[in-house]
Amino acid sequence: AVVSTQSTGNLSDNALEAEGGQYIANMLRENCYITVLDLCENNLGTTGAKCLGDMLHINVNLKEVYLRGNSFTDKDIEHFAEVMKDFRLTHFDLSCNCIGEKGGLLLGPAIAANESLEYLNLSWNNLRRKGAIAVANGVKNNVMLKHCNLAWNGFGDEGAVALGEALRNNTIITWLDISHNRITVEGVKFLTKGLEGNEGLKHFDISHNPITSTGGCQILESFGKNSSTVIETVELKNVRVNDDLWSAIKESKKALPDLTVIHQPYMEGRKKPNPIASLKEWLSHNKHFELVEVFKRFDEEETMEVTKEMLFEAFQQAHLPFDKNNMELLIDQLDGEGREVVVYSGLIETEQNAWLDERLTKYNTLHKDD
């Protein structure tokens, strides 16, 4: 139960559905203590949306509201859009719902008018066409928004045009995720126009879009042309790294020494994949990363060995720049002996690169007839 003196009401994943949402909304009409409300994954639906929208007109104390995964549709957004223009929330999450083009048309003007939102998550919806453009225009005109997640929608190249305008005009936003949005290299041309003049963006994720290596180069070059950029991280996951993109990555790091580019492994000359060689290259640019510490963290019994399954999880958490197939091959190479575990005692006794070379030699010997 939510107690009146609590500042956080976390009721996520409780199967509240419409009736439960109605009770919570009624309670929050009078509660002046709760400032953070989490009702994610409760299937609140249309009735829940109406009750919460009505409550937000009255409650002036809530600062953060998280409504991920509640089956809200375009029609339900009507209950939030008008109140969004005036409410005092700093954080609002409507991700993993069913918000489409019509919902985007309602949200866009509300985002533009709002003067308190700093964090907005609209990922995993169906925002596209005019709805996506409206949301991008809302971001362009918002004066407070810093963190915006628009991943897993359908912005496409039309939306990219509007996002480019948003990036050119909005210098407040620092974190933008537009991964998985069907943006092509044509859309990148418009995004780069905004990036070349942006003075606030620190994190930019355009992963898993069909932008090709050419688009990746254009993204990185746009930051290099911007003498006022403060970019720290660019994510290009699932963009093939050819010779041109690899050169662009290296040049961007020369121009911006603190920049981190998260990308696929570089396979020089399209040779047979060699993840250990790619890992060594990546480690040379990330000298703060200690491979032995990753092993130790997952070796609770101090046996000096880690299973392949655990190592896969460890490397994912460490954000090593490999896709699933190359990650599995990397771990096979580190195993070296086909034992299904990776023994890392040698990593403590020898230099990191020498240990990696030794593991690769053992792997190649074992698979010399493959």
Side-chain angles (χ1 to χ4, degrees):
V2 180
V3 181
S4 62
T5 55
Q6 285 183 298
S7 62
T8 299
N10 187 346
L11 293 168
S12 61
D13 201 13
N14 269 294
L16 294 176
E17 298 190 334
E19 185 177 6
Q22 186 173 2
Y23 284 124
I24 296 300
N26 288 339
M27 178 272 294
L28 288 170
R29 286 171 173 266
E30 299 179 3
N31 187 293
C32 60
Y33 294 97
I34 292 177
T35 58
V36 179
L37 178 65
D38 187 344
L39 292 176
C40 294
E41 307 295 342
N42 273 298
N43 196 30
L44 299 177
T46 297
T47 300
K50 182 181 186 306
C51 294
L52 288 171
D54 291 343
M55 176 273 294
L56 287 170
H57 275 288
I58 298 170
N59 189 309
V60 297
N61 299 297
L62 280 170
K63 300 301 180 187
E64 302 181 19
V65 175
Y66 301 92
L67 299 173
R68 181 187 72 247
N70 275 294
S71 304
F72 296 148
T73 65
D74 287 345
K75 184 174 178 58
D76 302 329
I77 296 306
E78 296 175 3
H79 302 298
F80 297 115
E82 193 60 35
V83 71
M84 272 185 73
K85 296 178 181 179
D86 300 315
F87 67 21
R88 296 172 175 82
L89 296 186
T90 59
H91 291 60
F92 198 34
D93 184 348
L94 283 172
S95 61
C96 299
N97 282 290
C98 305
I99 307 170
E101 184 173 5
K102 293 180 180 179
L105 287 169
L106 293 169
L107 285 171
I111 295 169
N114 183 275
E115 296 183 352
S116 63
L117 269 183
E118 297 178 6
Y119 171 100
L120 178 64
N121 189 347
L122 295 175
S123 63
W124 286 90
N125 279 290
N126 302 310
L127 296 168
R128 60 195 66 201
R129 303 186 187 93
K130 293 180 180 179
I133 293 171
V135 168
N137 287 337
V139 172
K140 177 178 74 173
N141 294 307
N142 187 282
V143 295
M144 292 295 291
L145 192 62
K146 296 178 181 177
H147 182 119
C148 186
N149 189 344
L150 300 174
W152 288 95
N153 280 287
F155 273 67
D157 292 340
E158 285 181 301
V161 175
L163 285 169
E165 282 291 313
L167 287 167
R168 182 159 49 189
N169 288 275
N170 187 324
T171 59
I172 303 298
I173 194 166
T174 61
W175 196 101
L176 180 63
D177 186 346
I178 55 172
S179 60
H180 298 273
N181 264 291
R182 302 201 298 272
I183 297 169
T184 74
V185 68
E186 291 301 313
V188 167
K189 294 177 182 178
F190 298 96
L191 288 171
T192 54
K193 291 178 181 178
L195 294 172
E196 287 174 8
N198 186 280
E199 300 178 359
L201 195 65
K202 295 183 179 181
H203 179 102
F204 183 60
D205 189 348
I206 192 171
S207 303
H208 297 278
N209 283 290
I211 63 172
T212 73
S213 300
T214 299
C217 290
Q218 292 173 353
I219 292 290
L220 294 176
E221 289 167 0
S222 68
F223 289 115
K225 294 176 182 177
N226 185 350
S227 60
S228 300
T229 185
V230 293
I231 192 69
E232 296 174 356
T233 306
V234 176
E235 297 200 37
L236 296 171
K237 295 191 292 288
N238 207 45
V239 177
R240 189 176 73 84
V241 181
N242 62 8
D243 293 346
D244 291 338
L245 182 52
W246 183 239
S247 295
I249 291 169
K250 292 191 289 186
E251 287 300 315
S252 66
K253 289 187 175 183
K254 287 181 183 178
L256 303 166
D258 295 328
L259 176 65
T260 297
V261 181
I262 300 174
H263 58 85
Q264 297 292 95
Y266 170 56
M267 305 302 178
E268 186 175 3
R270 299 178 69 87
K271 297 176 182 177
K272 184 178 179 180
N274 183 355
I276 278 187
S278 298
L279 177 60
K280 288 171 64 177
E281 176 67 21
W282 185 81
L283 289 169
S284 71
H285 294 287
N286 296 270
K287 299 186 184 298
H288 64 283
F289 188 89
E290 293 292 335
L291 195 58
V292 68
E293 295 303 320
V294 176
F295 284 90
K296 287 181 177 179
R297 196 177 309 127
F298 280 75
D299 182 18
E300 295 180 353
E301 297 181 3
E302 299 182 351
T303 60
M304 305 303 291
E305 62 182 36
V306 178
T307 67
K308 287 185 175 181
E309 292 79 5
M310 293 175 66
L311 195 56
F312 188 92
E313 180 182 352
F315 283 172
Q316 281 190 317
Q317 291 184 11
H319 302 294
L320 291 189
F322 295 95
D323 61 17
K324 182 177 183 292
N325 291 335
N326 280 297
M327 186 84 83
E328 290 174 347
L329 179 54
L330 171 65
I331 293 171
D332 284 342
Q333 290 180 337
L334 294 178
D335 173 8
E337 300 166 359
R339 295 183 53 218
E340 297 305 313
V341 296
V342 177
V343 179
Y344 69 95
S345 55
L347 183 56
I348 297 176
E349 299 165 359
T350 59
E351 189 264 340
Q352 185 167 259
N353 280 351
W355 181 78
L356 290 171
D357 289 337
E358 179 260 340
R359 304 312 294 178
L360 182 57
T361 299
K362 285 190 174 183
Y363 173 83
N364 288 337
T365 300
L366 185 67
H367 295 271
K368 62 181 179 181
D369 295 325
D370 287 1

